[in-house]
Amino acid sequence: MITLNSSPIHAVSWKLADELSVSIDIKRDDLLHPVVSGNKWRKLKYLIEDARSKQSQHIISMGGNWSNHLHALAFVGNELSINTHAFVRAHKEQSLTPTLNDCQQWGMTFDFTSRKEYAELRQERTWDRYHEQFPNSYWIGEGGFSELAIQGVKDIACDVKKEYDYIFVGCGSGATLCGLAQAFPSSRIVGVAAFSGAEYLQPQLKKNIATELDNWTLDTEHHCGGFAKAIVELEELISAIELNNDFKLDTVYNGKVFYALKTWLESGKLPLNSRVLVIHTGGLQGTREV
Ligand SMILES: Cc1ncc(COP(=O)(O)O)c(C=O)c1O
């Protein structure tokens, strides 16, 4: 059983936004659950339900050494007595990160893959070769991207009663951005890509959002050098925001959302009196030191 806490919305204290008469609220999905926090349960819930209804013996997915998605999946698998297995882009010889260590404690098993194999799996083209190894298994793609994950994110609309002009969120696979764009057709959803070269996501997002909806923007300018890369300006901004507020930000996703927001504010891209909502998608487990 996964029991969720509430995810309040409250104002962000930020002098820059006040000076520009832009109001910024944050939705604290990071508080939803100590492990399956942020967008994790939203993306996983219908997938897990589907896997259980198909009586799958294994749920298999993929991710990196610090994957929030694998971390959440392993926890849920353990709670609900479902076997989990992950293809991890890492060297066999290297010691497990705290993230993978937790996953292992929760019963997840691993196959470590080269970059090339990982890229092939990402396309799902080579998944067939594993069917014998894992009969009756349920496949969840990288970051959980799927119709069912998008469906789960859409449920967030039930919790948001106020109207927002802009909703900012971190973007990896893009499932969360797709769900938000569908859930809030009268807001502009800005997905801040956490990695470089995210432009390739555009057609996939377009296809999964609904062709008639043009209420979203993929911001590809604030990845700070690439996935899990940080720059001094990002770290300084995170410290300043944390100093004046009672939430923490990870450098991989949510910190970059604020970094993008800072540029949008400074460059006047957010009109006077804009109402902005940031979705805090969690990810704080990945900030642990090795
Ligand atoms: C903390 C956090 N925020 C945002 C995202 C991006 O979500 P999506 O893959 O749905 O774009 C992820 C990745 O799953 C994440 O772990």
Side-chain angles (χ1 to χ4, degrees):
M1 223 346 228
I2 306 292
T3 311
L4 297 182
N5 303 315
S6 64
S7 157
I9 295 179
H10 57 73
V12 173
S13 164
W14 194 356
K15 199 162 157 254
L16 175 66
D18 291 346
E19 282 167 3
L20 295 164
S21 297
V22 170
S23 71
I24 301 183
D25 287 352
I26 186 161
K27 176 155 174 54
R28 298 290 308 277
D29 270 12
D30 59 311
L31 298 177
L32 277 175
H33 188 274
V35 179
V36 200
S37 79
N39 54 358
K40 295 293 155 286
W41 182 242
R42 295 195 188 281
K43 289 201 283 183
L44 282 176
K45 60 183 178 177
Y46 294 131
L47 288 165
I48 303 283
E49 217 174 272
D50 194 35
R52 289 176 106 185
S53 75
K54 291 181 168 132
Q55 289 167 356
S56 306
Q57 284 167 13
H58 269 93
I59 295 185
I60 305 177
S61 194
M62 60 192 289
N65 266 319
W66 293 94
S67 170
N68 296 316
H69 162 68
L70 292 183
H71 196 249
L73 178 63
F75 179 87
V76 172
N78 192 40
E79 287 291 299
L80 305 180
S81 305
I82 307 168
N83 299 314
T84 55
H85 183 82
F87 292 93
V88 181
R89 188 182 40 200
H91 292 294
K92 274 190 200 66
E93 303 77 35
Q94 107 191 21
S95 52
L96 294 182
T97 57
T99 301
L100 294 184
N101 217 6
D102 285 350
C103 293
Q104 194 175 55
Q105 304 282 319
W106 292 321
M108 182 176 260
T109 51
F110 309 115
D111 260 316
F112 294 97
T113 70
S114 65
R115 277 179 179 274
K116 185 170 169 284
E117 283 170 316
Y118 192 88
E120 284 169 2
L121 269 174
R122 193 183 253 159
Q123 306 295 322
E124 288 185 46
R125 280 184 287 115
T126 54
W127 171 237
D128 280 354
R129 77 166 99 134
Y130 296 105
H131 277 166
E132 228 167 82
Q133 194 182 344
F134 300 105
N136 192 15
S137 55
Y138 190 89
W139 171 249
I140 298 182
E142 195 180 35
F145 193 97
S146 56
E147 268 303 316
L148 289 175
I150 293 171
Q151 197 62 35
V153 173
K154 275 174 78 176
D155 292 349
I156 202 172
C158 307
D159 300 356
V160 181
K161 306 287 174 238
K162 211 169 124 180
E163 291 266 313
Y164 288 95
D165 303 304
Y166 294 86
I167 300 180
F168 276 68
V169 73
C171 181
S173 70
T176 310
L177 170 57
C178 290
L180 292 173
Q182 291 184 18
F184 300 98
S186 9
S187 306
R188 172 142 299 270
I189 317 302
V190 182
V192 180
F195 59 96
S196 57
E199 292 78 5
Y200 82 91
L201 280 179
Q202 289 273 9
Q204 183 178 329
L205 296 175
K206 205 169 182 154
K207 191 169 129 227
N208 282 278
I209 287 173
T211 36
E212 71 279 10
L213 279 176
D214 190 23
N215 63 331
W216 56 278
T217 302
L218 180 65
D219 177 312
T220 56
E221 307 284 307
H222 296 92
H223 51 73
C224 301
F227 189 70
K229 297 264 165 56
I231 54 173
V232 178
E233 293 88 326
L234 172 68
E235 282 167 351
E236 284 176 355
L237 178 65
I238 290 175
S239 303
I241 296 284
E242 287 181 347
L243 193 66
N244 293 304
N245 293 277
D246 71 349
F247 54 84
K248 297 266 172 228
L249 296 170
D250 65 306
T251 49
V252 181
Y253 291 100
N254 295 285
K256 288 178 186 177
V257 168
F258 277 86
Y259 185 58
L261 204 38
K262 181 169 179 278
T263 310
W264 279 60
L265 284 164
E266 286 171 342
S267 62
K269 272 168 98 175
L270 296 171
L272 203 70
N273 299 323
S274 295
R275 296 156 305 173
V276 177
L277 179 67
V278 173
I279 309 290
H280 194 317
T281 51
L284 295 163
Q285 68 81 23
T287 60
R288 291 174 288 180
E289 299 292 326
V290 188

